[in-house]
Amino acid sequence: MNFKKFTTYLAIVTAVACTACSQSSESIEEEFTTDNMLLKEWSGPYGGLPAFDQMNLDSLKPALTEGMRLNLKEIDKIANNTEPATFENTIVALESAGDELNRVFVYYGIWSSNMSTPEFREIQAEMAPIISEFSSKITQNEKLFQRIKTVYEQTQKEPRSPEEQRLVQLTYEGYAMNGADLDEESKKRYAEINKELSSLYTTFASNVLADEESYETFLNKDQLGGLSESYINSAAKAAADRGKEGMYAVVNTRSSMDPFLTYSTERDLREKVWRNYYSRGDNGGEHDNNQIIADI
């Protein structure tokens, strides 16, 4: 898995233990026999498309675990290569690794950003520190980093094409900035901090979403001034879905809030809607984020 993708996943989520091995990619493929659709290669036009219509939340945790296991095997193979480090067998190999996990995180991103539910957030909270440990196993792999560093130093003396040179630089700096060049004690502490932060960030986001789902503003027919017909229809459905037939709901999301703030003639209600949205995670109780912010 390349470093850019790798750090992107940590931001979303934002694992499994692995012992050193030197198995070939063919043996890795032989072990990859899971029927988990989240891991499977995409089919269809444009080089293949994610099977969004087949997403199943029950498959997510097993897919993450298996994807990380497979990726760590690939990383181990690169790190333990007995041949001298080169751009092809180190940097290109890293760019090519992690296909299965890449696919899982596409689905993960959809759940996280567009289809978050309490059930997903429970899995997210459980997996966040595991994914953080997984990331540390890669960024703190001493053999891997030394190979990356060797290629980096080679290209400082004998530059490659601008694109390849930039890739080497980003890879080396990315690992170095994530603790790869620290002493062992500092690496351990750095990994502990990352693990704790991953849980704090996940809890923070879950609290914001919980307040987003818990607050709405209900309107009656006399409070619809300035609103478009399409917005009124969607607000009526939102209220009906919440057991408030005959009323209109401004739910606590940006897509509902923005047009209401833009067009509503009800100043007091605009203020209420604005405060609901911008005080998510700042309302006291079990979903309050103030202490979490301090901890971060």
Side-chain angles (χ1 to χ4, degrees):
M1 180 190 299
N2 67 57
F3 194 82
K4 182 178 179 182
K5 291 180 182 177
F6 183 64
T7 51
T8 299
Y9 298 149
L10 295 181
I12 290 175
V13 204
T14 307
V16 285
C18 177
T19 54
C21 63
S22 57
Q23 296 184 345
S24 68
S25 59
E26 290 78 13
S27 65
I28 292 173
E29 285 298 316
E30 289 174 1
E31 290 190 23
F32 179 52
T33 58
T34 179
D35 290 329
N36 193 312
M37 60 79 49
L38 300 183
L39 288 156
K40 289 183 177 179
E41 189 172 350
W42 300 338
S43 60
Y46 309 108
L49 299 171
F52 293 128
D53 59 328
Q54 300 177 41
M55 288 170 59
N56 184 336
L57 194 56
D58 291 339
S59 302
L60 179 57
K61 190 163 67 170
L64 285 169
T65 301
E66 178 67 1
M68 288 186 285
R69 184 186 73 83
L70 291 169
N71 195 192
L72 284 173
K73 280 185 172 291
E74 294 172 307
I75 295 299
D76 229 28
K77 180 174 180 287
I78 296 167
N80 289 289
N81 190 340
T82 56
E83 297 179 1
T86 66
F87 177 81
E88 286 75 18
N89 68 21
T90 302
I91 305 301
V92 173
L94 279 172
E95 287 287 299
S96 303
D99 284 348
E100 293 84 10
L101 189 59
N102 292 348
R103 292 193 285 268
V104 178
F105 273 112
V106 169
Y107 298 108
Y108 186 98
I110 294 296
W111 270 305
S112 177
S113 301
N114 303 98
M115 299 175 61
S116 182
T117 62
E119 292 76 19
F120 168 76
R121 293 198 288 273
E122 184 176 335
I123 295 173
Q124 189 180 35
E126 179 183 350
M127 296 303 293
I130 296 174
I131 294 170
S132 178
E133 287 182 4
F134 161 77
S135 76
S136 294
K137 287 180 183 294
I138 296 177
T139 57
Q140 296 190 9
N141 186 313
E142 180 63 25
K143 290 182 179 179
L144 176 65
F145 181 64
Q146 288 306 317
R147 292 183 68 84
I148 293 170
K149 189 174 183 179
T150 296
V151 176
Y152 173 76
E153 291 173 346
Q154 289 171 352
T155 59
Q156 296 301 295
K157 299 173 183 176
E158 300 176 5
R160 303 182 67 89
S161 71
E163 296 83 3
E164 293 176 348
Q165 193 75 10
R166 179 64 171 158
L167 177 59
V168 172
Q169 179 185 348
L170 288 176
T171 303
Y172 171 76
E173 290 179 354
Y175 277 77
M177 291 172 67
N178 276 269
D181 222 8
L182 296 173
D183 60 64
E184 287 306 312
E185 191 62 32
S186 297
K187 282 183 180 179
K188 181 180 178 182
R189 179 59 186 141
Y190 187 86
E192 290 172 352
I193 291 170
N194 276 342
K195 184 176 180 180
E196 184 177 358
L197 283 173
S198 70
S199 294
L200 289 169
Y201 290 143
T202 300
T203 302
F204 180 97
S206 294
N207 285 342
V208 170
L209 283 172
D211 272 1
E212 187 171 287
E213 295 169 350
S214 301
Y215 289 82
E216 57 269 310
T217 302
F218 291 103
L219 316 175
N220 57 45
K221 287 186 177 180
D222 298 331
Q223 298 172 313
L224 302 176
L227 301 176
S228 67
E229 183 178 354
S230 62
Y231 185 90
I232 291 171
N233 290 337
S234 65
K237 184 180 186 305
D241 291 344
R242 290 161 174 77
K244 298 283 188 178
E245 195 77 40
M247 298 192 74
Y248 307 84
V250 184
V251 297
N252 203 19
T253 64
R254 182 172 289 280
S255 60
S256 182
M257 173 198 71
D258 276 354
F260 186 82
L261 294 182
T262 302
Y263 299 110
S264 173
T265 59
E266 300 288 332
R267 181 181 176 87
D268 291 345
L269 289 174
R270 292 202 309 271
E271 179 181 356
K272 180 180 180 182
V273 167
W274 186 90
R275 290 190 181 281
N276 279 351
Y277 186 81
Y278 284 103
S279 64
R280 294 170 303 160
D282 190 22
N283 293 297
E286 61 176 320
H287 299 132
D288 190 87
N289 273 333
N290 284 281
Q291 185 57 51
I292 291 175
I293 291 171
D295 293 341
I296 291 172

